[in-house]
Amino acid sequence: MKRLAILTIAIALHIAGAALSADQQPAPGRTLAPSTDGKLNIIAFGAHPDDCDMRAGGTAAKFAALGHRVRFVSVTNGDAGHQTEGGGALAARRRAEAKEAGRRIGVDYVTLDNHDGELLPSLKPREDIIRQIRLWNADLVLAPRPNDYHPDHRYTGVLVQDAAYMVVVPNVTPDTPALRKNPVFMYFQDGFQRPNAFRPDVAISIDDVIDKKIDMLDAHVSQFYEWLPWVDGDAALAKVPKDPAERKRWLKEQRGPQPTPAVREALVKWYGPEKGKAVRYAEAFEICEYGQQPNKAELKRLFPFFGM
Ligand SMILES: [Zn+2]
């Protein structure tokens, strides 16, 4: 019976491996029980190959610097995000940009092959997300809230919510062994107010890694220097500096995430008034009601940055 069980797991792992491309393979030697080497496994989902970077790039750089394992997953391939390019060529360009962005801060970056602008909360992408969370043996899962102007963002939020319980159910997506312990799920910060505003349960100072975060964003040339300024209008596009060093300085001015009043309050709560009031750049996260519910001690374990 025991041998049969081992064989079944081996076959299941083999099938899971075969179904995934090389860059989606689990790190070698990973098991499904929670890791015991003192390192955290963090996985973040964004709809497009720059979303995780904007919302959690600084925090990810801090995790990576401490030797924790971080994977960013773009649920779509970004093949609609440009004014003059598109389709497979744009998807390839953006996949390469994402890889480079991940390399710059020491995180793994996977781009799934769903079309940009067409994501729906259906079974296949849900199963892909379940597999990703399981294969990464995640302790912490980050994702957008489902309140968002962009349907891909919204449905990425829904898809991760839909996976939050299923990752522990062995009969669901049985080609990839289920997690024994439900991860903590948290949302990225956003500015949307309806039906409810983002609540910063944890706020992280990224002052020490802001240049790393900007360096990461700088790898997405097709987005920050071409597409996003174009969306803002021809005048905005004309303002993008041509010189690589100059445009990076411009990017920092544009994209350095300054704390909102609610995030400032959370910074003071986590770092104390003196440090909390002095923070210039921050990223914040809200606990999702699904998945494991962390107390303050667990949050400190999952975000080992306070008092440093
Ligand atoms: Zn996006």
Side-chain angles (χ1 to χ4, degrees):
M1 196 56 209
K2 203 172 170 193
R3 274 184 65 182
L4 183 67
I6 290 168
L7 186 69
T8 309
I9 290 170
I11 291 169
L13 282 168
H14 180 76
I15 293 168
L20 297 164
S21 64
D23 63 354
Q24 291 171 267
Q25 297 294 331
R30 310 297 310 288
T31 66
L32 292 175
S35 303
T36 54
D37 63 357
K39 298 298 178 194
L40 297 162
N41 299 325
I42 301 106
I43 191 164
F45 292 89
H48 307 111
D50 60 338
D51 291 359
C52 291
D53 318 43
M54 276 197 281
R55 298 297 173 199
T59 305
K62 290 168 76 88
F63 278 126
L66 294 175
H68 301 296
R69 293 172 285 255
V70 185
R71 170 172 280 186
F72 280 1
V73 179
S74 176
V75 180
T76 78
N77 60 20
D79 61 357
H82 203 275
Q83 66 275 36
T84 56
E85 300 170 19
L90 179 58
R93 184 182 182 198
R94 297 196 64 185
R95 179 174 275 110
E97 287 176 344
K99 271 268 174 251
E100 171 61 14
R103 191 196 63 74
R104 290 185 185 185
I105 68 158
V107 314
D108 185 82
Y109 214 127
V110 168
T111 302
L112 301 181
D113 242 336
N114 299 298
H115 287 301
D116 188 350
E118 297 182 6
L119 188 66
L120 290 171
S122 55
L123 193 54
K124 187 186 171 297
R126 185 204 294 172
E127 287 188 330
D128 287 341
I129 285 172
I130 291 170
R131 288 191 188 98
Q132 286 289 333
I133 295 170
R134 288 176 176 177
L135 290 170
W136 203 245
N137 200 358
D139 299 292
L140 175 64
V141 181
L142 305 174
R145 297 197 306 158
N147 314 339
D148 201 290
Y149 75 103
H150 196 304
D152 292 346
H153 297 177
R154 192 181 314 144
Y155 296 136
T156 296
V158 171
L159 284 161
V160 175
Q161 285 185 344
D162 288 350
Y165 172 59
M166 294 305 170
V167 292
V168 301
V169 180
N171 277 330
V172 170
T173 322
D175 59 19
T176 311
L179 296 182
R180 197 66 197 94
K181 189 180 174 200
N182 206 355
V184 170
F185 289 75
M186 296 185 80
Y187 299 120
F188 302 136
Q189 185 183 349
D190 63 64
F192 299 101
Q193 301 296 312
R194 291 178 188 173
N196 59 304
F198 170 82
R199 182 191 68 214
D201 291 318
V202 174
I204 310 294
S205 163
I206 59 161
D207 287 348
D208 54 335
V209 290
I210 184 63
D211 290 327
K212 265 192 170 179
K213 172 168 176 156
I214 298 301
D215 195 33
M216 178 181 218
L217 300 186
D218 171 74
H220 296 279
V221 172
S222 72
Q223 301 303 293
F224 294 105
Y225 303 134
E226 297 173 12
W227 167 240
L228 295 171
W230 182 86
V231 172
D232 287 341
D234 292 338
L237 186 61
K239 277 190 196 147
V240 179
K242 298 280 173 287
D243 176 68
E246 219 174 287
R247 72 183 185 184
K248 219 173 189 177
R249 273 194 294 278
W250 169 86
L251 188 61
K252 189 173 176 179
E253 274 169 35
Q254 303 275 315
R255 300 282 173 181
Q258 288 166 16
T260 62
V263 170
R264 177 68 69 197
E265 223 174 276
L267 286 165
V268 167
K269 188 179 126 197
W270 284 94
Y271 288 91
E274 198 184 324
K275 272 191 180 174
K277 282 181 188 164
V279 172
R280 279 192 71 187
Y281 302 106
E283 290 170 351
F285 305 94
E286 172 180 332
I287 300 164
C288 169
E289 288 177 290
Y290 319 137
Q292 201 201 132
Q293 298 300 290
N295 58 22
K296 194 168 183 192
E298 177 68 356
L299 286 175
K300 279 187 171 171
R301 187 184 76 83
L302 288 171
F303 294 93
F305 311 125
F306 304 106
M308 292 175 73

